[in-house]
Amino acid sequence: MAVSTPLLPAAVQRLAAWCGVLLLVSGVVYVGIRLCDEFRTAVVPVLLALLGTALLGPLHRRLVKAGVHRSVSAGLTCVAVVAVVGGAVYIVVAALIDTGDEIVASLKEAARGVSEHFGAAGTSLDDLASNARELLGKFGGTAASGVISGVSVVGESIAMAVLALLLVFFFLRDSDKAAGTLRSLSPRGSADTLEAMARRALRAVEGFMRGTTLIALIDALLITVGLLVLDVPGAAGLGALVFVGAYIPYLGAFISGALAVLVALADRGFVIALWALGVVLAVQVLEGHVLQPMVQSRTVQMHPAVVMVTITAGASVAGVLGMLLAVPLTAAAFGVVEELRVRYGDREPSAEA
């Protein structure tokens, strides 16, 4: 009998199969992103609630172990998060309001110094600093009018925050039923795998949220103390920016640190600016070589290049909110991939008889 010869070599066939899989996955991901963007007012609260549940889960479990009813425990946890987040927001906003004029004045002084050396370029920087609030106001008005017609951005944000808080309550209260519900909805034979994937993803997000919050607090305190010692104006506001920026890895630290150095340069001179730069770099080295390995050693570790690409993709999809959500969601995805690798990647093919 004549043996038929394949039209394409085996290597080309495998490459074509992988290309087909990548195209299929890319199409599904694109459609999913478009659907999430279309229903963002419902999707965003769910994602924020999942992050909040991951962060608050340990506190809720401790209260339940202490004998507190699950509903009461979830309610107390939500009240605590409202108090903590509300207090943090108040402190950050108050610090920025109290020191905002000093920061803007220092930046204007830096622009004047640049204008003495670079002429027109420095003048334009001075004009930009002088009109910063007006420009931000115009930009904010334009952005607000384009987000959703007929409803203010503040109202939409409050509605999403309230919905997210309610979802956090229900997620915490019914967290003991999540595994059973997932297993009941799983196809036959895949319940154990899906439950393990979900638990690994949750652990990754929990570790990221707790670790990032602790590292952000330490970074903000150290930089604030350093700027206070150097007598840099607006140290409290700059420290608040460092805390908020820490939730956007690398990029947030770079922007907040650069702003602190610029303010020190404008108000205290070149030598103090160098000291401020030393403080910022020292804190970043401490974070990268001590805090990150110690605090997040049990979470999924991602390469900095992956983090930067993830942040850029999140910003292109959902702006600042996308930048904040991109890394924890990617950490969850890496956790799922790691679970699959542990379960199936290390299996050796059975030897042929």
Side-chain angles (χ1 to χ4, degrees):
M1 294 178 62
V3 179
S4 60
T5 303
L7 183 61
L8 296 174
V12 178
Q13 291 180 9
R14 287 194 297 270
L15 177 61
W18 277 110
C19 290
V21 171
L22 290 176
L23 288 175
L24 179 61
V25 172
S26 300
V28 172
V29 171
Y30 176 78
V31 172
I33 291 175
R34 296 299 300 174
L35 288 175
C36 291
D37 182 64
E38 195 70 24
F39 300 102
R40 59 185 177 274
T41 53
V43 173
V44 170
V46 173
L47 295 177
L48 292 177
L50 289 175
L51 296 182
T53 303
L55 181 63
L56 301 171
L59 174 60
H60 176 260
R61 289 192 289 268
R62 287 192 181 95
L63 291 175
V64 172
K65 288 182 180 179
V68 182
H69 190 271
R70 297 192 65 88
S71 297
V72 177
S73 175
L76 291 175
T77 305
C78 291
V79 171
V81 74
V82 169
V84 172
V85 172
V89 170
Y90 174 79
I91 293 173
V92 170
V93 172
L96 292 177
I97 291 176
D98 293 339
T99 61
D101 292 336
E102 297 180 18
I103 294 174
V104 172
S106 298
L107 291 177
K108 289 174 64 176
E109 185 65 28
R112 292 192 186 96
V114 172
S115 65
E116 295 177 358
H117 296 86
F118 298 99
T123 303
S124 62
L125 289 174
D126 189 14
D127 294 338
L128 180 60
S130 300
N131 300 319
R133 293 184 177 178
E134 181 181 354
L135 290 174
L136 289 174
K138 291 181 179 179
F139 175 78
T142 303
S145 63
V147 172
I148 186 170
S149 58
V151 180
S152 67
V153 175
V154 175
E156 183 184 7
S157 300
I158 292 176
M160 289 194 298
V162 172
L163 178 58
L165 183 62
L166 292 175
L167 289 175
V168 168
F169 171 80
F170 290 118
F171 288 169
L172 289 173
R173 189 193 67 178
D174 301 328
S175 58
D176 59 326
K177 304 175 184 177
T181 302
L182 180 63
R183 296 181 69 90
S184 65
L185 298 176
S186 303
R188 181 176 300 177
S190 62
D192 292 338
T193 301
L194 290 178
E195 182 180 353
M197 290 165 56
R199 291 187 183 278
R200 180 65 73 96
L202 181 61
R203 286 199 300 270
V205 176
E206 283 183 349
F208 173 83
M209 293 299 295
R210 293 199 304 268
T212 301
T213 302
L214 179 59
I215 291 172
L217 181 61
I218 295 175
D219 287 355
L221 289 176
L222 292 177
I223 290 181
T224 301
V225 171
L227 295 179
L228 287 174
V229 172
L230 296 174
D231 197 20
V232 175
L238 294 171
L241 289 177
V242 170
F243 179 81
V244 175
Y247 285 93
I248 305 177
Y250 305 111
L251 185 60
F254 173 78
I255 294 176
S256 58
L259 185 60
V261 174
L262 285 175
V263 172
L265 175 64
D267 192 83
R268 301 284 292 151
F270 183 74
V271 176
I272 298 299
L274 286 179
W275 279 102
L277 178 61
V279 170
V280 173
L281 292 178
V283 171
Q284 295 305 317
V285 170
L286 176 66
E287 174 186 338
H289 291 82
V290 178
L291 296 179
Q292 288 280 0
M294 288 180 57
V295 176
Q296 295 187 338
S297 59
R298 298 182 180 181
T299 64
V300 178
Q301 299 295 321
M302 292 183 290
H303 193 275
V306 176
V307 175
M308 294 301 297
V309 172
T310 300
I311 292 173
T312 303
S316 64
V317 173
V320 177
L321 186 61
M323 297 171 68
L324 295 173
L325 294 175
V327 179
L329 294 180
T330 304
F334 269 67
V336 171
V337 172
E338 179 66 16
E339 180 65 29
L340 292 175
R341 187 193 67 79
V342 170
R343 281 179 168 261
Y344 302 109
D346 296 335
R347 290 184 179 178
E348 297 182 356
S350 58
E352 295 182 1

